Amino acid sequence: MEDSEKTIRHYSSKHKILLVGEGDFSFSLCLASAFGSATNITATSLDSEDELSKKYMDAMVNVRMLTRFGCDVQHEVNVHTMSFDNSVSLRRYDRIVFNFPHAGSRFFGREFSSNAIEGHRVLVQGFLENAKEMLEENGEIHITHKTTYPFSDWEIKSLAKAEGLKLVKESKFELSHYPGYTNKRVVDVG
């Protein structure tokens, strides 16, 4: 008997989902909890396991729970090179998600600087360049992003257009739609 489809907003238990740049893995866990399984999810972080445990209090607990749900959890996955990373690139995905991309703690408190804006643009451009190579036919790339200044100066739509991508839909992100998800700012452990 085939499992019945379960959904949470834009995501389905039938989608092959790649989540990149996960902080404490609470978004991945939110989806896994809604689906009752995570065998369709690959969740990644740029950080190593050791860095995660130092930066995010709940990260390792969330990772253990995801593993129990059957999630493929990968660490040290860089969005600039992920289409060449065998831990994630050997599959094609229906949804590739980057929630609140951020180029790092060196820009906290300096979000308005031209260096910060350019750093964030480079991050998003690298993500889009790689993500488009990893999509199933009719797959979607989702970026959750603030739209006020200075974030609007990242010009994500023009970055996507430059990669041959088109905007299909724009939706307001409602935290209440994703129980258990918390958007975390990284703690600088350097």
Side-chain angles (χ1 to χ4, degrees):
M1 183 171 107
E2 191 174 312
D3 293 333
S4 63
E5 181 178 25
K6 296 178 182 159
T7 62
I8 180 168
R9 303 300 295 161
H10 313 286
Y11 307 103
S12 161
S13 58
K14 301 291 184 190
H15 290 147
K16 291 174 283 189
I17 301 170
L18 172 62
L19 298 151
V20 303
E22 286 287 271
D24 68 357
F25 286 84
S26 61
F27 189 79
S28 304
L29 186 56
C30 167
L31 296 183
S33 298
F35 300 156
S37 170
T39 56
N40 63 316
I41 299 173
T42 300
T44 72
S45 70
L46 177 61
D47 298 313
S48 67
E49 283 188 70
D50 186 52
E51 290 168 323
L52 271 179
S53 65
K54 291 175 183 171
K55 288 182 180 181
Y56 306 103
M57 183 175 64
D58 296 327
M60 297 318 295
V61 169
N62 291 345
V63 166
R64 282 191 293 278
M65 292 175 71
L66 281 165
T67 302
R68 285 189 206 116
F69 273 118
C71 185
D72 177 18
V73 176
Q74 299 291 329
H75 303 285
E76 301 180 72
V77 174
N78 187 322
V79 298
H80 289 271
T81 57
M82 67 184 183
S83 64
F84 302 100
D85 183 330
N86 287 344
S87 68
V88 294
S89 69
L90 299 177
R91 289 168 252 164
R92 295 292 166 257
Y93 300 92
D94 300 302
R95 301 289 182 271
I96 301 177
V97 183
F98 198 170
N99 285 320
F100 301 103
H102 199 280
S105 60
R106 68 185 183 277
F107 295 125
F108 289 150
R110 298 184 303 153
E111 298 290 344
F112 298 91
S113 77
S114 60
N115 285 343
I117 291 168
E118 184 57 25
H120 296 308
R121 286 177 50 83
V122 167
L123 173 68
V124 172
Q125 185 276 326
F127 163 68
L128 292 169
E129 179 182 351
N130 280 266
K132 73 179 185 182
E133 301 300 327
M134 301 169 69
L135 283 176
E136 285 281 7
E137 188 175 341
N138 299 316
E140 298 177 4
I141 297 171
H142 294 188
I143 299 176
T144 306
H145 175 61
K146 296 178 182 180
T147 56
T148 57
Y149 179 79
F151 308 101
S152 57
D153 278 9
W154 297 11
E155 299 175 339
I156 289 179
K157 290 177 196 172
S158 66
L159 293 174
K161 187 176 182 179
E163 291 299 326
L165 300 166
K166 65 179 182 179
L167 178 65
V168 174
K169 184 177 181 180
E170 200 169 347
S171 301
K172 183 176 180 180
F173 182 83
E174 296 284 348
L175 186 61
S176 63
H177 293 160
Y178 300 96
Y181 173 55
T182 55
N183 179 20
K184 299 283 189 189
R185 278 206 168 204
V186 68
V187 175
D188 189 1
V189 295

